[in-house]
Amino acid sequence: MCLGIPGQVVEIIDPADHRATVDVDGVRREVNVGLVMGDAGGIKVGDWVLIHVGFAMTKIDEEEAASTLEFIKQLGSVYDDEIRDFSAEAPL
Amino acid sequence: MTEERRDDHSHEDEVLERIEAWRRRRPKLKDEFINSAHGAGGKASAALIDAVFLEAFRNKSLETMADGAVLELPGGDRVAFSTDGYVVKPRRFPGGSVGDLAVNGTVNDLAMMGAVPQWLSASFIIEDGFSITELRDLVADMAAAALKAGVQIVTGDTKVVNKGACDGVYITTAGVGVIPANIHLDAKSVRPGDKVLVSGKIGDHGVAVLIARGDLALEADIPTDSAPLGELVEHLLAAAPNTRFLRDPTRGGVATVLNELAREAEVGVVMQESALPIRNIVNGACEILGIDPLYVANEGKLVAVVPAEETEAALAAMQAHPFGVDAAVIGEIREDPPGIVILNTVFGGNRIVDMLVGDPLPRIC
Amino acid sequence: MKFVDEYRDPAAARQILGHITELAKDGHYKFMEVCGGHTHTIYKHGIENVLPETVELVHGPGCPVCVIPMGRVDDAIAVAETPGVIFTSFGDMMRVPGGNGNLLEAKARGADVRMVYSPLDALRIAIANPDKKVVFFAVGFETTAPSTAVTVMKAMEKGVTNFSLFCNHVTIVPPLKAILDSPDLRLNGFLGPGHVSTVIGNRPYRFVPAQYGLPLVTAGFEPLDILQSILMLLRQIDEGRCEVENQYTRAVPEHGNPKALEILAEVFELRPHFEWRGLGFISQSALKLREKYAAWDAELLYEVPGVRVADPKACQCGEVLKGVIKPWECKVFGTACTPETPIGTCMVSSEGACAAYYNYGRFTKHQTVAVELGRSKAPAPV
């Protein structure tokens, strides 16, 4: 449910009215950032937020994002046989 | 795999076959009133055409349900004949207007039948009070597009209706072109092993118009791809003379064209997601709105099916033309499963790409 | 796209799948993804056909569009057809059938029905059309409700009196409980709804392991997120743990979004009960506007039929939602019930289990041969 798309804050239009512009792969839209203004460090140009129905719902934590990917990398290829079996079955 | 799971699968297959049989039935018109889905080129359009127009007008040419009709003249020459109405809103959008769409759209329908587009008619339904300056601008766009496409607008009609009876101006064009004797394009000639090509980035026009409409408050620097494809088709057919099938993925997008093809030719189509040429910006807009670029309209692109051995030549010919620079091979024709379009995803899975019911609607969830 | 593409990496997927296959090799595991967004991702990327047969995914009730009962859609249409009303809705709701057609059909009959991307756009339409009454069809879980709440607060603050809300917001925990309480349920764990959790955090799910003895992992929405979450569930089971874990740490803070929760509490209160399509009445499972915002409450401003339309008898959505049967095992699946003419909740939106399976899932396991594309130029980034 609830389509949430990562976008980068490129302009704070009006901090009092919680208006900011975000960029999603070159597409810009004004969003309301009132729900994330209270987050640590507030909201500033360059921050990544998760956008849902024209609102920034949460700030995306870049360190956490990196550590999730790191975790996946760390998994390594311990089970080589299974991986080979899998690769043989499905196109990747 | 346990015994129980295998049973499970054959039961699932049975159900799937039942569904396919159900799906292949002629579309049934159940609605009492027209709604927007009937004009969107999806399943609802097909049902309406079948139940109302085909029912009344039935003849061999119409039954092919192609973008136009192929007519044989007494001397043996074949002409392609096509018509289309243009009501896009807004009338002007980045890179184009309803004026050049009205020319390019009909020109492309002719080109997709292998014809060399030659003559167009233009009919205008204009709302009382419409600005003559704007009309002049739209007509200038049409003239410029006709010049670029190498066609002449040779006849026309004008009607003015009461204020409110139409939204500004509606343009209908019809076109005629001659099909060279050696060209025979037909969905039914498509064979397993043939390759599916697209002439460039997909989804540009639909996204440009959606954004220009303004009600979604999105901003993006993306112009329409509106272009006449007659010359591109000539080059393509010269390089790949056994090309089986051409169609322009306008409303309903690439997915709809391939579904129509799969249905008509009774073949399966398998696409490779990683090969789809899509601009980041179009992807971004589609992600925001929760729509799939495969269903988004194009106005200057074509989908071609060519025999495997002519693929490289076809691709090179398109890439050498300004309107085909980003052409790519996106998939191939398979025997199985007939009537179905499948996408192998970037991620390594696969899924069905079905016909849509109506226009893709932006979604939040 | 940043935070998207890197979570679709096939090589990393292979690694995770190797671990999943190893951990699941001696059993059979059924996990429910609560959220329709996950269902959508699973089918859109073809995740089901890369998972080992020993891991089965059951598609849960978390699609806010699907669960709106037919009677409420009829009410929405009645409001939309009131003279002088501009009725605004997310695109998702436009084709959802009530007992008597859908909003697109009401629009075709002449109602002024407009699609909006954000509730704030609906408010903007109200401000631009002072001679009209603008109603917004509010649907969604806790993810969407704060946006609506902010919009109503802004309407009050700016004194916009020609705007109102037809409120159908629902909450995630009660249907989860309803599913857990059903006697025929056979699940081994849950993928928790990532975007709801950005608002409510992870704490509200603690009852799942505590009272029902099942693990729950709050999951993100990209393919690798889902695979990693499945692996985390299997590891909990393997290690004898049973707890709430968070895979989607880049977006979900442990305590959710306190500001959003505060605004929700300010604007909304719980309804005593609310009907869910496919699940029946569930107490305290939906939100309504507080007395203070009565002037913006469409349910008080417009006369609606308010008639309950029973779910069709042939429909087995309840069993699909509980994972008792697969979509294709339903008697009407794909014949009487299709995305064009849905009978049950699961076929209504592309996020519903049946619609997702119908649109994306059929036949896929038969076609796993890669396409030989020749020397095609790879699409260059623009």
Side-chain angles (χ1 to χ4, degrees), chain A residues 8-39:
Chain A
Q8 190 169 30
V9 177
V10 291
E11 188 195 355
I12 309 282
I13 306 169
D14 180 353
D17 207 20
H18 307 156
R19 293 165 59 209
T21 305
V22 290
D23 179 287
V24 179
D25 258 358
V27 182
R28 292 168 302 281
R29 196 191 195 275
E30 179 183 328
V31 299
N32 180 296
V33 291
L35 298 171
V36 292
M37 296 281 269
D39 287 14

PDB file of all heavy atoms in Angstrom, chain A residues 8-39:
ATOM      1  N   GLN A   8      14.786  13.963  -3.678  1.00  0.00           N
ATOM      2  CA  GLN A   8      15.765  14.813  -3.007  1.00  0.00           C
ATOM      3  C   GLN A   8      15.239  16.243  -2.914  1.00  0.00           C
ATOM      4  O   GLN A   8      14.735  16.780  -3.907  1.00  0.00           O
ATOM      5  CB  GLN A   8      17.076  14.789  -3.780  1.00  0.00           C
ATOM      6  CG  GLN A   8      18.216  15.447  -3.003  1.00  0.00           C
ATOM      7  CD  GLN A   8      19.567  15.186  -3.638  1.00  0.00           C
ATOM      8  OE1 GLN A   8      19.659  15.029  -4.862  1.00  0.00           O
ATOM      9  NE2 GLN A   8      20.606  15.137  -2.839  1.00  0.00           N
ATOM     10  N   VAL A   9      15.363  16.828  -1.741  1.00  0.00           N
ATOM     11  CA  VAL A   9      14.927  18.212  -1.558  1.00  0.00           C
ATOM     12  C   VAL A   9      15.875  19.125  -2.326  1.00  0.00           C
ATOM     13  O   VAL A   9      17.094  19.074  -2.120  1.00  0.00           O
ATOM     14  CB  VAL A   9      14.926  18.592  -0.058  1.00  0.00           C
ATOM     15  CG1 VAL A   9      14.534  20.054   0.129  1.00  0.00           C
ATOM     16  CG2 VAL A   9      13.975  17.680   0.707  1.00  0.00           C
ATOM     17  N   VAL A  10      15.317  19.935  -3.254  1.00  0.00           N
ATOM     18  CA  VAL A  10      16.164  20.835  -4.028  1.00  0.00           C
ATOM     19  C   VAL A  10      15.917  22.292  -3.690  1.00  0.00           C
ATOM     20  O   VAL A  10      16.714  23.169  -4.024  1.00  0.00           O
ATOM     21  CB  VAL A  10      15.990  20.627  -5.558  1.00  0.00           C
ATOM     22  CG1 VAL A  10      16.558  19.276  -5.981  1.00  0.00           C
ATOM     23  CG2 VAL A  10      14.533  20.738  -5.990  1.00  0.00           C
ATOM     24  N   GLU A  11      14.814  22.575  -3.011  1.00  0.00           N
ATOM     25  CA  GLU A  11      14.541  23.970  -2.640  1.00  0.00           C
ATOM     26  C   GLU A  11      13.553  23.995  -1.473  1.00  0.00           C
ATOM     27  O   GLU A  11      12.585  23.222  -1.459  1.00  0.00           O
ATOM     28  CB  GLU A  11      13.921  24.707  -3.845  1.00  0.00           C
ATOM     29  CG  GLU A  11      13.768  26.200  -3.634  1.00  0.00           C
ATOM     30  CD  GLU A  11      12.826  26.869  -4.654  1.00  0.00           C
ATOM     31  OE1 GLU A  11      12.368  26.178  -5.588  1.00  0.00           O
ATOM     32  OE2 GLU A  11      12.546  28.061  -4.476  1.00  0.00           O
ATOM     33  N   ILE A  12      13.822  24.855  -0.515  1.00  0.00           N
ATOM     34  CA  ILE A  12      12.818  25.106   0.519  1.00  0.00           C
ATOM     35  C   ILE A  12      12.090  26.374   0.065  1.00  0.00           C
ATOM     36  O   ILE A  12      12.679  27.457   0.029  1.00  0.00           O
ATOM     37  CB  ILE A  12      13.470  25.337   1.907  1.00  0.00           C
ATOM     38  CG1 ILE A  12      14.454  24.208   2.250  1.00  0.00           C
ATOM     39  CG2 ILE A  12      12.408  25.521   2.974  1.00  0.00           C
ATOM     40  CD1 ILE A  12      13.873  22.927   2.720  1.00  0.00           C
ATOM     41  N   ILE A  13      10.814  26.245  -0.303  1.00  0.00           N
ATOM     42  CA  ILE A  13      10.102  27.400  -0.854  1.00  0.00           C
ATOM     43  C   ILE A  13       9.663  28.340   0.263  1.00  0.00           C
ATOM     44  O   ILE A  13       9.817  29.548   0.184  1.00  0.00           O
ATOM     45  CB  ILE A  13       8.850  26.956  -1.648  1.00  0.00           C
ATOM     46  CG1 ILE A  13       9.234  25.924  -2.719  1.00  0.00           C
ATOM     47  CG2 ILE A  13       8.163  28.156  -2.292  1.00  0.00           C
ATOM     48  CD1 ILE A  13       8.030  25.238  -3.363  1.00  0.00           C
ATOM     49  N   ASP A  14       9.095  27.762   1.307  1.00  0.00           N
ATOM     50  CA  ASP A  14       8.555  28.566   2.397  1.00  0.00           C
ATOM     51  C   ASP A  14       8.564  27.728   3.664  1.00  0.00           C
ATOM     52  O   ASP A  14       7.681  26.904   3.879  1.00  0.00           O
ATOM     53  CB  ASP A  14       7.120  28.995   2.028  1.00  0.00           C
ATOM     54  CG  ASP A  14       6.479  29.839   3.122  1.00  0.00           C
ATOM     55  OD1 ASP A  14       7.097  29.985   4.213  1.00  0.00           O
ATOM     56  OD2 ASP A  14       5.359  30.340   2.888  1.00  0.00           O
ATOM     57  N   PRO A  15       9.587  27.927   4.507  1.00  0.00           N
ATOM     58  CA  PRO A  15       9.707  27.065   5.689  1.00  0.00           C
ATOM     59  C   PRO A  15       8.496  27.204   6.624  1.00  0.00           C
ATOM     60  O   PRO A  15       8.073  26.215   7.235  1.00  0.00           O
ATOM     61  CB  PRO A  15      10.996  27.543   6.377  1.00  0.00           C
ATOM     62  CG  PRO A  15      11.508  28.702   5.596  1.00  0.00           C
ATOM     63  CD  PRO A  15      10.662  28.908   4.376  1.00  0.00           C
ATOM     64  N   ALA A  16       7.912  28.405   6.706  1.00  0.00           N
ATOM     65  CA  ALA A  16       6.796  28.604   7.627  1.00  0.00           C
ATOM     66  C   ALA A  16       5.573  27.811   7.173  1.00  0.00           C
ATOM     67  O   ALA A  16       4.826  27.269   7.982  1.00  0.00           O
ATOM     68  CB  ALA A  16       6.454  30.091   7.712  1.00  0.00           C
ATOM     69  N   ASP A  17       5.389  27.742   5.856  1.00  0.00           N
ATOM     70  CA  ASP A  17       4.240  27.027   5.313  1.00  0.00           C
ATOM     71  C   ASP A  17       4.615  25.584   4.930  1.00  0.00           C
ATOM     72  O   ASP A  17       3.828  24.887   4.282  1.00  0.00           O
ATOM     73  CB  ASP A  17       3.682  27.796   4.100  1.00  0.00           C
ATOM     74  CG  ASP A  17       2.183  27.522   3.884  1.00  0.00           C
ATOM     75  OD1 ASP A  17       1.527  27.074   4.856  1.00  0.00           O
ATOM     76  OD2 ASP A  17       1.689  27.745   2.764  1.00  0.00           O
ATOM     77  N   HIS A  18       5.843  25.151   5.308  1.00  0.00           N
ATOM     78  CA  HIS A  18       6.297  23.769   5.096  1.00  0.00           C
ATOM     79  C   HIS A  18       6.346  23.372   3.619  1.00  0.00           C
ATOM     80  O   HIS A  18       6.138  22.223   3.286  1.00  0.00           O
ATOM     81  CB  HIS A  18       5.383  22.768   5.844  1.00  0.00           C
ATOM     82  CG  HIS A  18       5.220  23.074   7.289  1.00  0.00           C
ATOM     83  ND1 HIS A  18       4.141  22.663   8.015  1.00  0.00           N
ATOM     84  CD2 HIS A  18       6.002  23.772   8.148  1.00  0.00           C
ATOM     85  CE1 HIS A  18       4.250  23.077   9.263  1.00  0.00           C
ATOM     86  NE2 HIS A  18       5.378  23.757   9.365  1.00  0.00           N
ATOM     87  N   ARG A  19       6.622  24.353   2.743  1.00  0.00           N
ATOM     88  CA  ARG A  19       6.631  24.030   1.322  1.00  0.00           C
ATOM     89  C   ARG A  19       8.061  23.863   0.817  1.00  0.00           C
ATOM     90  O   ARG A  19       8.904  24.706   1.071  1.00  0.00           O
ATOM     91  CB  ARG A  19       5.921  25.129   0.521  1.00  0.00           C
ATOM     92  CG  ARG A  19       4.418  25.201   0.800  1.00  0.00           C
ATOM     93  CD  ARG A  19       3.821  26.501   0.288  1.00  0.00           C
ATOM     94  NE  ARG A  19       4.036  26.648  -1.151  1.00  0.00           N
ATOM     95  CZ  ARG A  19       4.143  27.828  -1.761  1.00  0.00           C
ATOM     96  NH1 ARG A  19       4.088  28.955  -1.068  1.00  0.00           N
ATOM     97  NH2 ARG A  19       4.324  27.876  -3.065  1.00  0.00           N
ATOM     98  N   ALA A  20       8.299  22.754   0.110  1.00  0.00           N
ATOM     99  CA  ALA A  20       9.623  22.504  -0.465  1.00  0.00           C
ATOM    100  C   ALA A  20       9.456  21.848  -1.823  1.00  0.00           C
ATOM    101  O   ALA A  20       8.398  21.300  -2.125  1.00  0.00           O
ATOM    102  CB  ALA A  20      10.437  21.598   0.458  1.00  0.00           C
ATOM    103  N   THR A  21      10.498  21.935  -2.656  1.00  0.00           N
ATOM    104  CA  THR A  21      10.474  21.244  -3.941  1.00  0.00           C
ATOM    105  C   THR A  21      11.389  20.032  -3.853  1.00  0.00           C
ATOM    106  O   THR A  21      12.510  20.134  -3.362  1.00  0.00           O
ATOM    107  CB  THR A  21      10.972  22.181  -5.063  1.00  0.00           C
ATOM    108  OG1 THR A  21      10.177  23.363  -5.029  1.00  0.00           O
ATOM    109  CG2 THR A  21      10.825  21.527  -6.432  1.00  0.00           C
ATOM    110  N   VAL A  22      10.877  18.895  -4.338  1.00  0.00           N
ATOM    111  CA  VAL A  22      11.715  17.702  -4.388  1.00  0.00           C
ATOM    112  C   VAL A  22      11.930  17.310  -5.844  1.00  0.00           C
ATOM    113  O   VAL A  22      11.164  17.684  -6.721  1.00  0.00           O
ATOM    114  CB  VAL A  22      11.092  16.499  -3.655  1.00  0.00           C
ATOM    115  CG1 VAL A  22      11.082  16.716  -2.165  1.00  0.00           C
ATOM    116  CG2 VAL A  22       9.709  16.190  -4.189  1.00  0.00           C
ATOM    117  N   ASP A  23      13.004  16.559  -6.071  1.00  0.00           N
ATOM    118  CA  ASP A  23      13.346  16.096  -7.403  1.00  0.00           C
ATOM    119  C   ASP A  23      13.402  14.572  -7.401  1.00  0.00           C
ATOM    120  O   ASP A  23      14.068  13.970  -6.567  1.00  0.00           O
ATOM    121  CB  ASP A  23      14.710  16.681  -7.807  1.00  0.00           C
ATOM    122  CG  ASP A  23      15.129  16.214  -9.198  1.00  0.00           C
ATOM    123  OD1 ASP A  23      15.500  15.025  -9.343  1.00  0.00           O
ATOM    124  OD2 ASP A  23      15.106  17.032 -10.125  1.00  0.00           O
ATOM    125  N   VAL A  24      12.667  13.973  -8.322  1.00  0.00           N
ATOM    126  CA  VAL A  24      12.706  12.521  -8.509  1.00  0.00           C
ATOM    127  C   VAL A  24      13.181  12.282  -9.939  1.00  0.00           C
ATOM    128  O   VAL A  24      12.403  12.448 -10.877  1.00  0.00           O
ATOM    129  CB  VAL A  24      11.316  11.887  -8.296  1.00  0.00           C
ATOM    130  CG1 VAL A  24      11.376  10.381  -8.525  1.00  0.00           C
ATOM    131  CG2 VAL A  24      10.775  12.197  -6.916  1.00  0.00           C
ATOM    132  N   ASP A  25      14.443  11.962 -10.095  1.00  0.00           N
ATOM    133  CA  ASP A  25      14.986  11.676 -11.436  1.00  0.00           C
ATOM    134  C   ASP A  25      14.660  12.759 -12.455  1.00  0.00           C
ATOM    135  O   ASP A  25      14.288  12.471 -13.594  1.00  0.00           O
ATOM    136  CB  ASP A  25      14.426  10.336 -11.941  1.00  0.00           C
ATOM    137  CG  ASP A  25      15.447   9.223 -11.789  1.00  0.00           C
ATOM    138  OD1 ASP A  25      16.572   9.503 -11.343  1.00  0.00           O
ATOM    139  OD2 ASP A  25      15.124   8.077 -12.134  1.00  0.00           O
ATOM    140  N   GLY A  26      14.737  14.016 -12.041  1.00  0.00           N
ATOM    141  CA  GLY A  26      14.500  15.099 -12.987  1.00  0.00           C
ATOM    142  C   GLY A  26      13.073  15.609 -13.010  1.00  0.00           C
ATOM    143  O   GLY A  26      12.769  16.588 -13.676  1.00  0.00           O
ATOM    144  N   VAL A  27      12.174  14.939 -12.284  1.00  0.00           N
ATOM    145  CA  VAL A  27      10.795  15.421 -12.178  1.00  0.00           C
ATOM    146  C   VAL A  27      10.672  16.143 -10.832  1.00  0.00           C
ATOM    147  O   VAL A  27      11.050  15.606  -9.805  1.00  0.00           O
ATOM    148  CB  VAL A  27       9.783  14.264 -12.226  1.00  0.00           C
ATOM    149  CG1 VAL A  27       8.365  14.791 -12.163  1.00  0.00           C
ATOM    150  CG2 VAL A  27       9.999  13.438 -13.479  1.00  0.00           C
ATOM    151  N   ARG A  28      10.151  17.390 -10.890  1.00  0.00           N
ATOM    152  CA  ARG A  28      10.068  18.178  -9.668  1.00  0.00           C
ATOM    153  C   ARG A  28       8.616  18.367  -9.252  1.00  0.00           C
ATOM    154  O   ARG A  28       7.725  18.491 -10.081  1.00  0.00           O
ATOM    155  CB  ARG A  28      10.748  19.538  -9.858  1.00  0.00           C
ATOM    156  CG  ARG A  28      12.258  19.440 -10.013  1.00  0.00           C
ATOM    157  CD  ARG A  28      12.863  20.747 -10.493  1.00  0.00           C
ATOM    158  NE  ARG A  28      12.308  21.185 -11.771  1.00  0.00           N
ATOM    159  CZ  ARG A  28      12.674  20.689 -12.957  1.00  0.00           C
ATOM    160  NH1 ARG A  28      13.568  19.724 -13.040  1.00  0.00           N
ATOM    161  NH2 ARG A  28      12.114  21.150 -14.054  1.00  0.00           N
ATOM    162  N   ARG A  29       8.402  18.373  -7.951  1.00  0.00           N
ATOM    163  CA  ARG A  29       7.073  18.661  -7.450  1.00  0.00           C
ATOM    164  C   ARG A  29       7.190  19.330  -6.102  1.00  0.00           C
ATOM    165  O   ARG A  29       8.094  19.035  -5.335  1.00  0.00           O
ATOM    166  CB  ARG A  29       6.234  17.387  -7.303  1.00  0.00           C
ATOM    167  CG  ARG A  29       4.749  17.715  -7.156  1.00  0.00           C
ATOM    168  CD  ARG A  29       3.905  16.543  -6.745  1.00  0.00           C
ATOM    169  NE  ARG A  29       2.482  16.818  -6.969  1.00  0.00           N
ATOM    170  CZ  ARG A  29       1.706  17.463  -6.104  1.00  0.00           C
ATOM    171  NH1 ARG A  29       2.186  17.913  -4.969  1.00  0.00           N
ATOM    172  NH2 ARG A  29       0.417  17.671  -6.388  1.00  0.00           N
ATOM    173  N   GLU A  30       6.228  20.230  -5.866  1.00  0.00           N
ATOM    174  CA  GLU A  30       6.172  20.836  -4.544  1.00  0.00           C
ATOM    175  C   GLU A  30       5.580  19.815  -3.588  1.00  0.00           C
ATOM    176  O   GLU A  30       4.579  19.162  -3.899  1.00  0.00           O
ATOM    177  CB  GLU A  30       5.284  22.084  -4.583  1.00  0.00           C
ATOM    178  CG  GLU A  30       5.189  22.732  -3.223  1.00  0.00           C
ATOM    179  CD  GLU A  30       4.263  23.935  -3.207  1.00  0.00           C
ATOM    180  OE1 GLU A  30       4.175  24.637  -4.236  1.00  0.00           O
ATOM    181  OE2 GLU A  30       3.635  24.153  -2.158  1.00  0.00           O
ATOM    182  N   VAL A  31       6.229  19.652  -2.446  1.00  0.00           N
ATOM    183  CA  VAL A  31       5.657  18.774  -1.424  1.00  0.00           C
ATOM    184  C   VAL A  31       5.595  19.521  -0.092  1.00  0.00           C
ATOM    185  O   VAL A  31       6.250  20.536   0.109  1.00  0.00           O
ATOM    186  CB  VAL A  31       6.481  17.467  -1.215  1.00  0.00           C
ATOM    187  CG1 VAL A  31       6.525  16.648  -2.489  1.00  0.00           C
ATOM    188  CG2 VAL A  31       7.870  17.778  -0.704  1.00  0.00           C
ATOM    189  N   ASN A  32       4.772  18.975   0.807  1.00  0.00           N
ATOM    190  CA  ASN A  32       4.673  19.518   2.147  1.00  0.00           C
ATOM    191  C   ASN A  32       5.667  18.762   3.034  1.00  0.00           C
ATOM    192  O   ASN A  32       5.668  17.531   3.052  1.00  0.00           O
ATOM    193  CB  ASN A  32       3.234  19.322   2.648  1.00  0.00           C
ATOM    194  CG  ASN A  32       3.037  19.869   4.043  1.00  0.00           C
ATOM    195  OD1 ASN A  32       3.632  19.380   4.991  1.00  0.00           O
ATOM    196  ND2 ASN A  32       2.206  20.886   4.155  1.00  0.00           N
ATOM    197  N   VAL A  33       6.521  19.495   3.728  1.00  0.00           N
ATOM    198  CA  VAL A  33       7.540  18.844   4.558  1.00  0.00           C
ATOM    199  C   VAL A  33       7.258  19.015   6.049  1.00  0.00           C
ATOM    200  O   VAL A  33       8.121  18.751   6.888  1.00  0.00           O
ATOM    201  CB  VAL A  33       8.972  19.358   4.215  1.00  0.00           C
ATOM    202  CG1 VAL A  33       9.396  18.874   2.834  1.00  0.00           C
ATOM    203  CG2 VAL A  33       9.059  20.879   4.295  1.00  0.00           C
ATOM    204  N   GLY A  34       6.016  19.425   6.359  1.00  0.00           N
ATOM    205  CA  GLY A  34       5.645  19.665   7.756  1.00  0.00           C
ATOM    206  C   GLY A  34       5.825  18.450   8.652  1.00  0.00           C
ATOM    207  O   GLY A  34       6.151  18.593   9.834  1.00  0.00           O
ATOM    208  N   LEU A  35       5.648  17.262   8.108  1.00  0.00           N
ATOM    209  CA  LEU A  35       5.718  16.059   8.940  1.00  0.00           C
ATOM    210  C   LEU A  35       7.157  15.651   9.261  1.00  0.00           C
ATOM    211  O   LEU A  35       7.372  14.805  10.123  1.00  0.00           O
ATOM    212  CB  LEU A  35       4.986  14.892   8.242  1.00  0.00           C
ATOM    213  CG  LEU A  35       3.491  15.097   7.995  1.00  0.00           C
ATOM    214  CD1 LEU A  35       2.929  13.979   7.118  1.00  0.00           C
ATOM    215  CD2 LEU A  35       2.718  15.153   9.312  1.00  0.00           C
ATOM    216  N   VAL A  36       8.137  16.228   8.554  1.00  0.00           N
ATOM    217  CA  VAL A  36       9.530  15.833   8.817  1.00  0.00           C
ATOM    218  C   VAL A  36      10.376  16.996   9.326  1.00  0.00           C
ATOM    219  O   VAL A  36      11.573  16.846   9.543  1.00  0.00           O
ATOM    220  CB  VAL A  36      10.206  15.226   7.558  1.00  0.00           C
ATOM    221  CG1 VAL A  36       9.574  13.893   7.205  1.00  0.00           C
ATOM    222  CG2 VAL A  36      10.110  16.163   6.376  1.00  0.00           C
ATOM    223  N   MET A  37       9.729  18.149   9.549  1.00  0.00           N
ATOM    224  CA  MET A  37      10.477  19.324  10.014  1.00  0.00           C
ATOM    225  C   MET A  37      11.083  19.075  11.384  1.00  0.00           C
ATOM    226  O   MET A  37      12.148  19.581  11.707  1.00  0.00           O
ATOM    227  CB  MET A  37       9.554  20.548  10.099  1.00  0.00           C
ATOM    228  CG  MET A  37       8.989  20.986   8.777  1.00  0.00           C
ATOM    229  SD  MET A  37      10.156  21.913   7.810  1.00  0.00           S
ATOM    230  CE  MET A  37       9.786  23.573   8.339  1.00  0.00           C
ATOM    231  N   GLY A  38      10.409  18.274  12.190  1.00  0.00           N
ATOM    232  CA  GLY A  38      10.869  18.049  13.559  1.00  0.00           C
ATOM    233  C   GLY A  38      11.977  17.007  13.652  1.00  0.00           C
ATOM    234  O   GLY A  38      12.556  16.805  14.707  1.00  0.00           O
ATOM    235  N   ASP A  39      12.285  16.330  12.530  1.00  0.00           N
ATOM    236  CA  ASP A  39      13.322  15.298  12.576  1.00  0.00           C
ATOM    237  C   ASP A  39      14.672  15.913  12.927  1.00  0.00           C
ATOM    238  O   ASP A  39      14.881  17.106  12.749  1.00  0.00           O
ATOM    239  CB  ASP A  39      13.441  14.597  11.206  1.00  0.00           C
ATOM    240  CG  ASP A  39      12.263  13.688  10.942  1.00  0.00           C
ATOM    241  OD1 ASP A  39      11.262  13.811  11.664  1.00  0.00           O
ATOM    242  OD2 ASP A  39      12.342  12.881  10.012  1.00  0.00           O
TER     243      ASP A  39
END
